[in-house]
Amino acid sequence: MKTIQLRRYTLVDGEYDAFLAWFDGTMPTVRPAAGFAIEFAYGLRETNEFVWAVSAEGDRERFAELEQAYLASDARAAAFDGVPQRIAVYNISFVDDVAVDAEVAPA
């Protein structure tokens, strides 16, 4: 079992490219080291949004334990040290896994 958290951000105007560069250079190292996996990450330049999902093995309680340790970690503090606030609006929630029966048409 794994728990997935969907994180949707509206970025501060003018910070889109800087945020993406920071995220790409930081999160793929910092989050996995804390016990998380990045499921996906997408930027929506036209609407100044960034959407990504992070997961952890176990239930929501286990996710919360890992998140608490991550938020208090020196690695996270270093990742954010000197970084200006680039997120104007946060929308963070857990998602349910929905099985989809995707039938592929023959080529």
Side-chain angles (χ1 to χ4, degrees):
M1 162 186 221
K2 75 177 168 181
T3 299
I4 300 173
Q5 186 183 67
L6 182 65
R7 304 176 68 88
R8 295 171 285 178
Y9 305 153
T10 301
L11 302 176
V12 171
D13 286 342
E15 293 293 332
Y16 182 87
D17 290 323
F19 178 84
L20 264 61
W22 171 85
F23 184 93
D24 187 49
T26 305
M27 287 296 112
T29 303
V30 176
R31 278 288 186 156
F36 297 96
I38 296 174
E39 297 288 324
F40 64 82
Y42 294 100
L44 294 87
R45 184 176 298 277
E46 294 77 21
T47 56
N48 205 33
E49 294 174 279
F50 186 77
V51 179
W52 66 299
V54 63
S55 67
E57 292 300 321
D59 59 14
R60 288 183 186 187
E61 184 176 320
R62 178 64 180 144
F63 189 101
E65 291 169 358
L66 288 171
E67 185 82 341
Q68 185 176 9
Y70 165 71
L71 292 173
S73 73
D74 291 340
R76 184 189 182 279
F80 284 85
D81 186 40
V83 177
Q85 178 63 356
R86 293 186 173 128
I87 302 170
V89 178
Y90 293 85
N91 187 338
I92 301 169
S93 57
F94 290 106
V95 297
D96 297 320
D97 189 12
V98 179
V100 177
D101 185 15
E103 198 170 303
V104 178

